[in-house]
């Protein structure tokens, strides 16, 4: 194994952890210093010297393992890492619909690097050398911002390619961006994503989405589909998600 895994002993209820933080940093001195400081403050820390730990944890999600990425409350991520670089990891996690807060650590301090870090979906950015107190304060802030997260393990979260839909929160993320949908558009998308590949006729969609308050004709469905495409498709005139099935209706793929 290339990475090291060090986890604090299980804590009792009286000293409950403030959160579980994954620290990915190849420089041992920095990694150990950060891990120690966070543990002193009451965080549980998983320390890794390689980004592959993140990929491994991500893949453990389906097993319901308590060592999966779902159990992580925040990630502190170095940019210059062996094998997979931090920016690529960050971008990859966001593409997978992961909302775990990420703080990037880097020796690179230029404005450009900072902007790129935030653009790939990091929540915060700290330049080396940094004070551990500032780091701890920022981790606390990250966790406060994320105090009421929908657990990504929630089976009702729908994720297809670059679209993630959170039914209980009525939120939709498309290519890392949150989009605004009307209630009808949201329910349409939710229905489609719940039944990928199923073909829906316009009448079936009216029955499911509009119910008794339906006032228009089947063209109303087409109009809503067009609006939805404009919000979710990269190229609405050549849809990749919401496809027309000629003579039948629509399907989501
Ligand atoms: Ca490094």
């Amino acid at each position: 194994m290339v990475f090291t895994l060090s986890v604090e002993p299980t804590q009792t209820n009286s000293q409950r952890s403030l959160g579980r933080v994954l620290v990915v940093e190849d420089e041992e001195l920095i990694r150990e210093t950060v891990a120690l400081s966070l543990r002193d403050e009451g965080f549980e820390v998983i320390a890794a010297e390689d980004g592959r730990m993140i990929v491994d944890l991500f893949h453990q999600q389906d097993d319901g393992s308590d060592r999966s990425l779902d159990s992580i409350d925040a990630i502190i991520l170095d940019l210059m890492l062996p094998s997979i670089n931090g920016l690529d990891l960050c971008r990859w996690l966001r593409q997978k619909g992961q909302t775990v807060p990420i703080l990037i650590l880097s020796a690179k301090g230029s404005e450009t690097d900072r902007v790129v870090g935030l653009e790939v979906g990091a929540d915060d950015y700290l330049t080396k050398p940094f004070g551990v107190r500032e780091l701890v304060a920022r981790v606390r802030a990250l966790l406060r911002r994320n105090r009421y997260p929908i657990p990504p393990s929630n089976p009702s979260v729908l994720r297809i390619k670059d679209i993630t839909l959170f039914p209980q929160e009525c939120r939709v993320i498309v290519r890392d961006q949150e989009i605004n949908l009307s209630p009808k558009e949201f329910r349409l998308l939710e229905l489609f994503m719940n039944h990928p590949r199923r073909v829906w006729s316009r009448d079936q969609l009216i029955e499911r989405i509009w119910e008794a308050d339906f006032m228009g004709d089947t063209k109303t469905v087409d109009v809503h589909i067009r609006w939805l495409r404009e919000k979710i498709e990269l190229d609405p005139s050549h849809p990749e998600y919401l496809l027309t099935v000629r003579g039948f209706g629509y399907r989501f793929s």
Side-chain angles (χ1 to χ4, degrees):
M1 292 266 172
V2 178
F3 55 75
T4 55
L5 173 60
S6 47
V7 181
E8 281 285 82
T10 310
Q11 298 183 339
T12 63
N13 285 336
S14 58
Q15 39 169 182
R16 232 168 66 83
S17 156
L18 292 177
R20 188 181 279 178
V21 181
L22 173 61
V23 179
V24 183
E25 163 65 75
D26 59 322
E27 283 169 70
E28 190 180 359
L29 184 62
I30 298 179
R31 184 175 66 242
E32 291 306 315
T33 307
V34 167
L36 259 174
S37 316
L38 288 170
R39 280 175 192 146
D40 279 350
E41 293 292 321
F43 294 94
E44 186 183 348
V45 177
I46 298 177
E49 62 187 47
D50 187 295
R52 273 176 289 179
M53 169 66 100
I54 291 182
V55 180
D56 289 346
L57 287 170
F58 176 81
H59 288 303
Q60 279 168 32
Q61 259 165 197
D62 298 336
D63 311 341
S65 160
D66 73 338
R67 280 281 169 267
S68 82
L69 206 52
D70 291 348
S71 70
I72 304 292
D73 298 301
I75 298 177
I76 296 176
L77 183 60
D78 182 30
L79 275 196
M80 303 294 281
L81 289 165
S83 70
I84 319 171
N85 121 352
L87 282 183
D88 290 337
L89 271 168
C90 191
R91 189 183 293 117
W92 179 80
L93 280 176
R94 294 312 186 219
Q95 280 168 354
K96 295 287 180 190
Q98 285 293 322
T99 55
V100 56
I102 298 175
L103 183 148
I104 281 180
L105 281 187
S106 175
K108 299 172 158 188
S110 79
E111 187 87 27
T112 321
D113 291 316
R114 186 185 164 82
V115 169
V116 170
L118 299 176
E119 270 177 3
V120 296
D123 300 272
D124 202 358
Y125 194 106
L126 197 54
T127 303
K128 296 175 194 171
F130 54 86
V132 287
R133 279 192 185 173
E134 179 171 12
L135 178 87
V136 169
R138 289 191 185 214
V139 169
R140 283 181 187 281
L142 274 185
L143 293 183
R144 267 201 305 275
R145 259 177 265 162
N146 202 40
R147 191 178 289 169
Y148 305 108
I150 286 288
S153 62
N154 185 337
S156 61
V157 172
L158 302 170
R159 189 172 296 142
I160 293 179
K161 290 190 272 185
D162 283 340
I163 301 184
T164 309
L165 184 146
F166 302 84
Q168 287 160 8
E169 288 182 305
C170 295
R171 286 173 61 222
V172 177
I173 309 279
V174 178
R175 289 176 290 279
D176 301 338
Q177 300 277 330
E178 184 153 352
I179 58 164
N180 287 314
L181 295 179
S182 71
K184 290 268 190 301
E185 290 163 352
F186 183 86
R187 292 189 54 207
L188 261 177
L189 184 61
E190 186 180 16
L191 180 68
F192 278 119
M193 290 181 75
N194 264 317
H195 305 274
R197 288 177 298 281
R198 172 176 168 172
V199 177
W200 295 88
S201 72
R202 288 166 179 82
D203 286 330
Q204 286 171 329
L205 291 174
I206 288 168
E207 205 181 291
R208 290 293 196 102
I209 306 296
W210 277 267
E211 297 150 3
D213 65 348
F214 187 70
M215 303 282 277
D217 57 22
T218 51
K219 285 204 178 58
T220 307
V221 177
D222 300 332
V223 169
H224 279 82
I225 294 282
R226 197 174 73 230
W227 289 341
L228 195 50
R229 278 178 177 154
E230 276 163 13
K231 293 179 179 177
I232 64 169
E233 299 283 359
L234 211 49
D235 177 2
S237 51
H238 296 95
E240 156 195 12
Y241 290 101
L242 242 178
L243 308 179
T244 303
V245 184
R246 293 208 184 283
F248 290 96
Y250 296 99
R251 75 179 171 90
F252 195 86
S253 105

